[in-house]
Amino acid sequence: MQLRYAFRLYPDAGQQRALARAFGCARVVFNDAVRAREEARVAEQPFPKAAELSKRLITEAKQTVERSWLGEVSAVVLQQSLRDAEAAYKNFFASLKGARKGPKLGAPRFKSRKDARQSIRFTANARWNITGKGRLNLPKIGAVKVKWSRTLPATPTSVTVIKDAAGRFFASFVIDTDPAEDAARMPESDQSIGIDLGLTHFAVLSDGTKIDSPRFLRRAEKKLKKAQNDLSRKQKGSKNREKARLKAARAHAKVTDARKEFHHQLSTRLISENQAIAVEDLSVAGLARTRLAKSVHDAGWTAFVTMLEYKAERYGRTLIKTGRYEPTSQVCSTCGIKDGPKPLHIREWTCTACGTVHDRDHNAALNVKQAAGLAVSACGAPVRPEPVLAQREETGSHGFPTGNRAA
């Protein structure tokens, strides 16, 4: 399976200018491809093929006065930008036909130099490499300093250089991992666990463990509000506004990084300690439309469950999602009698049939585990779900010991 390992980059002033030039050239090629296809659609002509666009927008464009500066960056960066446009149209048409799961996608739009996120991709053809001193040597950019937070488990197949809204640079390496080798490194376990996600506590486990919700957004709300107010008072287009925008973006990035690190640490701990994990399939989009929307987004349940999915697939564990309509808060986990719905302010209740006093969240976690079929078998139950494709997300690189360099 493929995973991404992200590391912080620290380019100098000259390298930052070279990266800005590469971001701009890749953006122009992408926009030219979108414009060419849009003109073909308006003229009711067939869409030009990728090879034709490559010849017209890159090879021939470099010979013109208007696009001669495209030769100042690596040709691989431009080719990958065309591939991104091709993939965007492919996903758009698949969404129109209903072949792509998830929300409907719109047609590709033009990119702006003011976009919060800029990125370029180098494949093996670009002949980038990691130097003996641990620097990332990129064509026509130079050897960029990297903050290695861990050792790369294998030779990367490609690297994506990203600039985020906070002005930080990252190198995202694509690694092909061996699931069998990863599963062998994970300690064996015969334990299983059920998880009830919530707001009062981020997670309550079926063994009675309660994990408090850090509420990163709520704790930083005062600082974020001040940064946003300062930004709103600045004149548009001024240098002071750009400084205020960076300050606000860095404050938001700090909250995002802290939440991601919390999710990574908790998901890794649960995966390493348990062979099978059951979690409720929550309707996060529906809950985000209620008065609890800010708290729901602050918890980040979807990102956490996604981490559990790809880590379970990677390390040979079993993750089971129970139906979102299971009455986990209404059923007694001792006798199985459905006691009816209860308001959210009821945190403890007594079963009218057997008299057992239940903690609402702990009882729900036990019911999630039983609904997944893990109460009898500790190694995954009689029914195993279909394999879940690993999520190709940026793995966090914060909070890990430093000093190790890339393999």
Coordinates of all heavy atoms in Angstrom, one line a residue, residues 88-123:
A88 N -8.5 15.7 -12.6 CA -9.6 16.5 -12.2 C -10.8 16.3 -13.1 O -12.0 16.1 -12.6 CB -9.2 17.9 -12.1
Y89 N -10.6 16.2 -14.4 CA -11.7 16.0 -15.3 C -12.2 14.6 -15.2 O -13.4 14.3 -15.3 CB -11.2 16.3 -16.8 CG -11.3 17.7 -17.1 CD1 -10.3 18.6 -17.2 CD2 -12.6 18.3 -17.5 CE1 -10.4 19.9 -17.5 CE2 -12.7 19.6 -17.8 CZ -11.6 20.4 -17.8 OH -11.8 21.8 -18.2
K90 N -11.3 13.6 -15.0 CA -11.7 12.2 -14.9 C -12.6 12.1 -13.7 O -13.7 11.4 -13.8 CB -10.5 11.3 -14.8 CG -10.8 9.9 -14.7 CD -9.5 9.0 -14.7 CE -9.8 7.6 -14.7 NZ -8.5 6.7 -14.6
N91 N -12.2 12.7 -12.6 CA -13.1 12.6 -11.4 C -14.4 13.3 -11.6 O -15.5 12.8 -11.1 CB -12.3 13.2 -10.2 CG -11.2 12.3 -9.7 OD1 -11.1 11.1 -10.0 ND2 -10.2 13.0 -9.1
F92 N -14.4 14.4 -12.3 CA -15.6 15.2 -12.5 C -16.6 14.3 -13.4 O -17.8 14.2 -13.0 CB -15.3 16.5 -13.3 CG -16.4 17.2 -13.8 CD1 -17.5 17.6 -13.0 CD2 -16.5 17.4 -15.2 CE1 -18.6 18.2 -13.6 CE2 -17.6 18.1 -15.7 CZ -18.6 18.5 -14.9
F93 N -16.1 13.7 -14.4 CA -17.0 12.9 -15.3 C -17.5 11.6 -14.5 O -18.6 11.2 -14.7 CB -16.3 12.5 -16.6 CG -16.1 13.7 -17.5 CD1 -14.8 13.9 -18.0 CD2 -17.1 14.5 -17.8 CE1 -14.6 15.0 -18.8 CE2 -16.9 15.6 -18.6 CZ -15.7 15.8 -19.2
A94 N -16.6 11.1 -13.7 CA -17.0 9.9 -12.9 C -18.1 10.3 -11.9 O -19.0 9.5 -11.6 CB -15.8 9.3 -12.2
S95 N -18.0 11.5 -11.3 CA -19.0 12.0 -10.4 C -20.3 12.2 -11.1 O -21.4 11.9 -10.6 CB -18.5 13.2 -9.7 OG -19.5 13.7 -8.8
L96 N -20.3 12.7 -12.3 CA -21.5 13.0 -13.1 C -22.2 11.6 -13.4 O -23.5 11.6 -13.3 CB -21.2 13.7 -14.4 CG -20.9 15.2 -14.4 CD1 -20.6 15.7 -15.8 CD2 -22.1 15.9 -13.8
K97 N -21.5 10.6 -13.7 CA -22.1 9.3 -14.0 C -22.5 8.5 -12.8 O -23.1 7.5 -12.9 CB -21.1 8.5 -14.8 CG -20.7 9.1 -16.2 CD -19.7 8.3 -16.9 CE -19.3 8.9 -18.2 NZ -18.2 8.2 -18.9
G98 N -22.1 9.0 -11.6 CA -22.4 8.3 -10.4 C -21.4 7.2 -10.1 O -21.7 6.4 -9.1
A99 N -20.3 7.1 -10.8 CA -19.4 6.0 -10.6 C -18.4 6.4 -9.4 O -17.7 5.5 -8.9 CB -18.5 5.8 -11.8
R100 N -18.4 7.6 -9.0 CA -17.5 8.0 -7.9 C -18.3 8.3 -6.6 O -19.3 9.0 -6.7 CB -16.8 9.3 -8.3 CG -15.7 9.7 -7.3 CD -15.0 11.0 -7.8 NE -13.8 11.3 -7.1 CZ -13.8 11.9 -5.9 NH1 -15.0 12.3 -5.4 NH2 -12.7 12.2 -5.3
K101 N -17.9 7.7 -5.5 CA -18.6 7.8 -4.3 C -18.4 9.2 -3.7 O -17.4 9.9 -4.0 CB -18.2 6.8 -3.3 CG -18.5 5.3 -3.7 CD -18.1 4.3 -2.7 CE -18.4 2.9 -3.1 NZ -18.0 1.9 -2.2
G102 N -19.2 9.6 -2.8 CA -19.0 10.9 -2.1 C -19.9 12.0 -2.8 O -20.7 11.8 -3.7
P103 N -19.7 13.2 -2.3 CA -20.5 14.3 -2.8 C -20.1 14.6 -4.3 O -19.0 14.3 -4.8 CB -20.1 15.5 -1.9 CG -18.7 15.1 -1.4 CD -18.8 13.7 -1.2
K104 N -21.0 15.2 -5.0 CA -20.9 15.6 -6.4 C -19.7 16.6 -6.6 O -19.6 17.5 -5.8 CB -22.1 16.1 -7.0 CG -23.3 15.1 -7.1 CD -23.0 14.0 -8.1 CE -24.2 13.1 -8.3 NZ -23.9 12.0 -9.2
L105 N -18.9 16.3 -7.6 CA -17.8 17.2 -7.9 C -18.1 18.2 -9.0 O -18.8 17.8 -10.0 CB -16.5 16.4 -8.2 CG -15.9 15.6 -7.1 CD1 -14.7 14.9 -7.7 CD2 -15.6 16.4 -5.9
G106 N -17.7 19.4 -8.9 CA -17.9 20.4 -10.0 C -16.8 20.2 -11.0 O -15.8 19.5 -10.9
A107 N -16.9 21.0 -12.1 CA -15.9 21.0 -13.2 C -14.6 21.7 -12.7 O -14.7 22.6 -11.8 CB -16.4 21.7 -14.4
P108 N -13.5 21.3 -13.1 CA -12.2 21.9 -12.7 C -12.2 23.4 -12.9 O -12.8 23.9 -14.0 CB -11.1 21.2 -13.5 CG -11.7 19.9 -13.9 CD -13.2 20.2 -14.0
R109 N -11.7 24.2 -12.0 CA -11.7 25.6 -12.1 C -10.3 26.1 -12.2 O -9.3 25.4 -11.9 CB -12.4 26.3 -10.9 CG -13.8 25.9 -10.8 CD -14.5 26.6 -9.5 NE -13.9 26.0 -8.3 CZ -14.2 26.4 -7.1 NH1 -15.2 27.3 -6.9 NH2 -13.7 25.9 -6.0
F110 N -10.1 27.4 -12.6 CA -8.8 28.0 -12.7 C -8.2 28.2 -11.3 O -8.9 28.5 -10.4 CB -8.9 29.3 -13.4 CG -9.3 29.3 -14.8 CD1 -10.4 29.9 -15.3 CD2 -8.5 28.6 -15.8 CE1 -10.8 29.8 -16.6 CE2 -8.9 28.5 -17.1 CZ -10.1 29.1 -17.5
K111 N -6.9 27.9 -11.2 CA -6.1 28.2 -10.0 C -5.7 29.6 -9.9 O -5.4 30.3 -11.0 CB -4.9 27.2 -9.9 CG -5.3 25.8 -9.8 CD -4.0 24.9 -9.6 CE -4.4 23.5 -9.4 NZ -3.1 22.7 -9.1
S112 N -5.5 30.1 -8.7 CA -5.1 31.5 -8.5 C -3.8 31.5 -7.8 O -3.5 30.7 -6.9 CB -6.2 32.3 -7.7 OG -5.7 33.6 -7.3
R113 N -3.0 32.6 -8.0 CA -1.8 32.7 -7.3 C -2.0 33.1 -5.9 O -1.1 33.0 -5.0 CB -0.9 33.8 -8.0 CG -1.5 35.2 -8.0 CD -0.6 36.2 -8.7 NE -1.2 37.5 -8.7 CZ -1.0 38.4 -7.8 NH1 -0.3 38.1 -6.7 NH2 -1.6 39.6 -7.9
K114 N -3.2 33.5 -5.5 CA -3.6 33.8 -4.1 C -4.2 32.6 -3.4 O -4.7 32.8 -2.3 CB -4.6 35.0 -4.1 CG -4.0 36.3 -4.7 CD -5.0 37.4 -4.6 CE -4.4 38.7 -5.2 NZ -5.4 39.8 -5.1
D115 N -4.2 31.4 -4.0 CA -4.7 30.2 -3.3 C -3.9 30.0 -2.1 O -2.6 30.2 -2.1 CB -4.6 29.0 -4.2 CG -5.7 29.1 -5.3 OD1 -6.6 29.9 -5.2 OD2 -5.6 28.4 -6.3
A116 N -4.5 29.5 -1.0 CA -3.9 29.3 0.3 C -2.8 28.2 0.1 O -1.8 28.2 0.8 CB -4.9 28.9 1.3
R117 N -3.0 27.2 -0.7 CA -2.1 26.1 -0.8 C -1.5 26.0 -2.3 O -2.3 26.1 -3.2 CB -2.8 24.8 -0.5 CG -2.0 23.5 -0.5 CD -2.8 22.3 -0.1 NE -2.1 21.1 0.0 CZ -1.8 20.3 -1.0 NH1 -2.1 20.7 -2.3 NH2 -1.1 19.2 -0.8
Q118 N -0.2 25.9 -2.3 CA 0.5 25.8 -3.6 C 1.3 24.5 -3.5 O 1.9 24.2 -2.5 CB 1.4 27.0 -3.9 CG 0.7 28.3 -3.9 CD -0.1 28.6 -5.2 OE1 0.1 27.9 -6.2 NE2 -0.9 29.6 -5.1
S119 N 1.4 23.8 -4.7 CA 2.2 22.5 -4.6 C 2.7 22.2 -6.0 O 2.1 22.6 -7.0 CB 1.3 21.4 -4.1 OG 0.3 21.1 -5.0
I120 N 3.8 21.5 -6.0 CA 4.4 20.9 -7.2 C 4.9 19.5 -6.9 O 5.2 19.2 -5.7 CB 5.6 21.7 -7.7 CG1 6.6 22.0 -6.6 CG2 5.1 23.0 -8.3 CD1 7.9 22.7 -7.1
R121 N 5.0 18.6 -7.9 CA 5.3 17.2 -7.7 C 6.5 16.8 -8.6 O 6.5 17.2 -9.8 CB 4.1 16.3 -8.0 CG 4.3 14.9 -7.6 CD 3.1 14.1 -7.6 NE 2.3 14.1 -8.9 CZ 1.2 14.8 -9.1 NH1 0.7 15.6 -8.2 NH2 0.6 14.7 -10.3
F122 N 7.4 16.1 -8.0 CA 8.6 15.6 -8.7 C 8.5 14.0 -8.7 O 8.4 13.4 -7.6 CB 9.9 16.0 -8.1 CG 10.1 17.5 -8.1 CD1 9.7 18.3 -7.1 CD2 10.8 18.1 -9.2 CE1 9.9 19.7 -7.1 CE2 11.0 19.5 -9.3 CZ 10.6 20.3 -8.2
T123 N 8.5 13.4 -9.8 CA 8.6 12.0 -9.9 C 10.1 11.5 -10.0 O 11.0 12.3 -10.0 CB 7.8 11.4 -11.1 OG1 8.3 12.0 -12.3 CG2 6.3 11.8 -10.9

